Amino acid sequence: MSEERIEGQPKYAPGTHVRSKDIRERKITYTWWEPEAQYAFSLGPANSRFLKELKAGKIIGRTCRKCDRVIVPPRMFCDWCYDTTHEWVYLKDTGTVETFSISYLDPDAHLIEDPILVGVISIDGASPKHGFMHYFGEMKPEDLRIGMKVKAVWKPKEERVGSVTDIKYFKPLIGGDE
Amino acid sequence: MRNVSVIGGGMSLFRRRLKETGKELSFLASKMAMEEAGVQRSDIDMVVMGSAPDAFDGIHMKGENLLDGAGGKDKPYVRVFNGGGTGVFAPIAGWWHVASGVADMVMVVCEEKMGSCNPHPQTAFRNIWDPILDRPLNPNLVWLFAMEMNRYMTRYDIKKEDIARVAVKNKRNAVGHPCAQLPDANITVEDVLNSEMMAWPVNRLDISPPSDGASALIYCSEEKAKEFTDDPINVAGVGWNIDSSMWTNRDLYFPDYVANAAKMAYKMAGINDPRKEIDFAEPYDPFTYKELHHLEGLLLCDKGEAPILTREGVTERDGDLPVCPSGGLLGVGNPIAATMGQKVCELYWQLAGKAGKRQIPGDPQVGVGQAWGDIMQMGTVLVMRRG
């Protein structure tokens, strides 16, 4: 980059570009560090019940009577009226695709061959646009569309551990599945 | 509240990796801003640092680490941080130091060193997700934006080629920027559409690059600014607003939090009709569709209208509403907080007529800059006006 000063314009500050191969080939001096912090997250009452019910093959939400709202994933407080929520309520394991992506990226941004189908599902029985992120399966990427009805496919009971992954994925809901 | 003027800006080179440390980059950008303003460190009362997640630089509480590079030693100093919103929020925090009368002159310094995180800073983003509901699904952050983009496209029946035009415009605009990482004078819509598919509907050229870089600007009270210039450039209004992290409990097609932040800033600036009164905009463009989403959030057009304005050339540098004349994040680079260089310093350089090859024709009087961040939550807005 130019260090020249153009009349009436700011002189831009420098910086020295380093390429990946400069690191690989040790052309620059650097130091390496790998943090080893580990965490045990306690789940709190709302998430604990949610995951316990998933283990039992059920999706549960929380109602806010004041807002006439059914919240999923459930929460102990309502962020609309800022008051405590009221009752537990079981919801269906079906819903609607609100949005989705067909991902060729793994979590570390490496490219993968078989795409991951992922999206947001609003759950039947909850308030509109209330749901969670999950995978889709038993469909071709080109069949996935916003507004389609889907149903949870659960892991076998003995494999469930109390995690969002106790649902394997959501599949297309075809008449009679419910 | 007092009127606050901008008297200098600075920016380092933006690159995927820079050899200089975060402290050194902060120093380089700060010295440039001080030189432009014609002030010494002893003239500066307080320093505000903006820097995004610690996990990028790999230094926990990096604000404290960076402070001497940012000229903050032995001064009132604070680091502010709200993810991608930081690039406009740090100058908002700097503004209130002077507007309140607590300080007469403040330097705002923003720094990001994403190249330290190996092999890719995406790995640090894994820790941004909710540990209970999201992380077991092994998400990639690009998923979020792909899902928001899809929702936005579907709601308004927007074609991908109209979104791709944003990358073409911004990477071409960046050709005039001395710091730019990915300028491209010859890029076409087809290049964007044919680039690698990352997470449909997001292609590689829809995404801004991770970068190292720093930027700085200097504020003082309008009264004091008269010692430096006859034609002060002032902060006219600021706004910020945030939605909850429960992004699966709302419709993603419109960023209400950006609109709330914009309304707050426009009210302070006395702007009643932003479409008529704002001459150019620097909305946050880490992804192509975000520029469009944010133009709508900034109330500069109707919902779903931004892609049409882009197709019709309204947002080109010589159009009726120039958008990202700096080259934006897509063209200049995305060292998260340091994008203050495109989103706020650029407003100053454009209004002061110092933007060189990037200068908007027609003597612009009012510009708006905006940033966005966290899990699709944060909107930060700053309006600047010629005195």
Side-chain angles (χ1 to χ4, degrees):
Chain A
M1 73 172 260
S2 169
E3 292 260 2
E4 283 168 43
R5 182 76 183 248
I6 301 164
E7 192 59 40
Q9 284 178 32
K11 183 189 131 196
Y12 285 84
T16 313
H17 189 191
V18 173
R19 291 164 203 282
S20 294
K21 71 176 174 58
D22 298 332
I23 293 180
R24 282 198 305 273
E25 295 167 10
R26 288 208 162 255
K27 283 188 181 158
I28 65 155
T29 43
Y30 66 89
T31 181
W32 191 264
W33 177 255
E34 293 182 26
E36 286 173 18
Q38 295 182 6
Y39 297 85
F41 296 105
S42 67
L43 302 191
N47 281 319
S48 295
R49 178 75 188 267
F50 181 57
L51 296 189
K52 202 175 124 194
E53 295 292 349
L54 287 179
K55 195 175 175 184
K58 289 173 182 157
I59 297 173
I60 200 163
R62 260 319 256 183
T63 63
C64 172
R65 273 192 237 120
K66 218 187 256 181
C67 297
D68 194 20
R69 183 184 187 196
V70 180
I71 307 167
V72 71
R75 281 188 275 173
M76 300 316 289
F77 63 92
C78 173
D79 60 343
W80 291 1
C81 65
Y82 202 59
D83 212 337
T84 48
T85 49
H86 298 98
E87 291 113 13
W88 294 102
V89 55
Y90 287 107
L91 308 173
K92 292 185 177 176
D93 68 349
T94 57
T96 306
V97 177
E98 292 293 336
T99 187
F100 66 87
S101 176
I102 301 162
S103 177
Y104 294 87
L105 289 176
D106 81 356
D108 290 317
H110 298 115
L111 286 169
I112 49 176
E113 292 266 318
D114 288 331
I116 300 165
L117 307 184
V118 63
V120 176
I121 303 101
S122 60
I123 300 298
D124 287 338
S127 291
K129 310 290 175 196
H130 282 50
F132 46 82
M133 178 170 68
H134 220 293
Y135 304 125
F136 300 106
E138 297 181 35
M139 64 176 91
K140 290 179 190 151
E142 57 269 30
D143 294 336
L144 185 52
R145 62 183 196 284
I146 288 176
M148 86 190 274
K149 297 292 293 179
V150 288
K151 181 177 172 63
V153 174
W154 297 84
K155 281 184 180 166
K157 201 168 182 179
E158 59 280 7
E159 288 176 25
R160 291 183 215 144
V161 294
S163 163
V164 289
T165 55
D166 288 349
I167 295 174
K168 281 163 76 174
Y169 50 77
F170 283 78
K171 66 171 185 180
L173 175 62
I174 302 158
D177 267 2
E178 248 175 306
Chain B
M1 278 188 312
R2 304 194 294 175
N3 282 338
V4 179
S5 304
V6 184
I7 54 170
M11 240 174 120
S12 77
L13 197 63
F14 284 7
R15 288 293 181 273
R16 175 71 177 82
R17 273 189 197 82
L18 291 169
K19 187 175 183 180
E20 289 77 10
T21 64
K23 284 175 191 264
E24 288 162 349
L25 291 175
S26 301
F27 174 77
L28 292 171
S30 299
K31 288 295 271 189
M32 176 182 156
M34 286 162 62
E35 188 187 322
E36 194 185 13
V39 302
Q40 307 295 316
R41 196 176 88 91
S42 54
D43 299 321
I44 294 165
D45 299 316
M46 301 184 186
V47 174
V48 173
M49 161 59 69
S51 200
D54 289 345
F56 289 138
D57 290 44
I59 299 172
H60 192 48
M61 296 177 64
K62 64 177 163 176
E64 281 69 10
N65 176 269
L66 294 167
L67 86 90
D68 50 357
K73 180 177 146 56
D74 299 326
K75 290 187 190 293
Y77 169 93
V78 66
R79 173 209 180 180
V80 296
F81 161 48
N82 34 40
T86 309
V88 173
F89 190 74
I92 289 173
W95 166 85
W96 76 52
H97 280 60
V98 180
S100 64
V102 170
D104 277 334
M105 191 177 292
V106 163
M107 183 157 70
V108 183
V109 187
C110 287
E111 178 272 0
E112 216 71 59
K113 215 169 153 54
M114 302 174 77
S116 301
C117 187
N118 269 276
H120 195 283
Q122 279 285 345
T123 306
F125 274 130
R126 292 178 76 160
N127 300 314
I128 199 174
W129 296 88
D130 185 281
I132 300 155
L133 300 170
D134 296 333
R135 282 190 216 175
L137 297 169
N138 262 326
N140 180 294
L141 198 72
V142 177
W143 290 7
L144 271 184
F145 313 125
M147 288 188 271
E148 191 179 59
M149 178 170 167
N150 187 7
R151 182 78 198 136
Y152 174 61
M153 284 172 65
T154 304
R155 173 72 184 237
Y156 298 117
D157 200 17
I158 297 165
K159 293 187 173 62
K160 269 210 63 171
E161 46 263 46
D162 284 333
I163 294 180
R165 289 175 206 280
V166 174
V168 173
K169 171 177 68 68
N170 292 4
K171 287 174 191 291
R172 288 183 179 213
N173 280 352
V175 170
H177 205 302
C179 306
Q181 183 175 349
L182 291 176
D184 190 341
N186 303 310
I187 187 173
T188 63
V189 168
E190 288 67 37
D191 291 337
V192 181
L193 295 176
N194 295 332
S195 64
E196 236 160 14
M197 179 57 71
M198 309 297 271
W200 188 91
V202 176
N203 292 65
R204 185 170 50 82
L205 291 176
D206 285 306
I207 311 183
S208 61
S211 318
D212 284 2
S215 58
L217 68 79
I218 296 178
Y219 284 134
C220 65
S221 62
E222 188 179 28
E223 197 177 87
K224 197 168 182 67
K226 286 172 186 161
E227 296 171 23
F228 301 94
T229 175
D230 297 329
D231 191 8
I233 311 294
N234 289 347
V235 177
V238 299
W240 64 102
N241 199 279
I242 190 163
D243 204 329
S244 92
S245 64
M246 305 300 284
W247 61 280
T248 63
N249 281 186
R250 54 188 154 92
D251 199 325
L252 300 172
Y253 81 98
F254 183 75
D256 285 299
Y257 45 93
V258 172
N260 292 339
K263 284 174 194 163
M264 176 177 164
Y266 297 158
K267 189 178 175 196
M268 192 182 297
I271 289 173
N272 298 312
D273 186 350
R275 299 182 198 194
K276 284 197 179 130
E277 295 175 61
I278 288 173
D279 299 324
F280 70 103
E282 277 283 346
Y284 211 57
D285 61 322
F287 291 78
T288 44
Y289 81 97
K290 286 310 303 186
E291 171 170 311
L292 307 171
H293 211 223
H294 291 151
L295 276 178
E296 294 169 19
L298 287 167
L299 312 173
L300 295 173
C301 60
D302 288 342
K303 291 178 183 178
E305 195 188 10
I308 300 164
L309 298 185
T310 306
R311 190 198 310 147
E312 291 175 348
V314 174
T315 60
E316 297 284 341
R317 187 180 282 134
D318 58 359
D320 284 345
L321 178 67
V323 176
C324 291
S326 68
L329 280 54
L330 289 161
V332 183
N334 186 8
I336 317 277
T339 59
M340 176 176 80
Q342 298 103 302
K343 300 300 148 191
V344 179
C345 296
E346 183 75 5
L347 301 183
Y348 166 68
W349 287 321
Q350 290 287 352
L351 293 169
K354 291 179 175 181
K357 289 179 190 161
R358 308 188 306 284
Q359 187 65 47
I360 297 167
D363 200 21
Q365 300 292 312
V366 183
V368 61
Q370 175 255 335
W372 162 88
D374 306 334
I375 306 253
M376 304 188 283
Q377 293 168 260
M378 184 78 200
T380 52
V381 176
L382 188 146
V383 179
M384 216 180 274
R385 183 189 275 145
R386 282 181 73 164

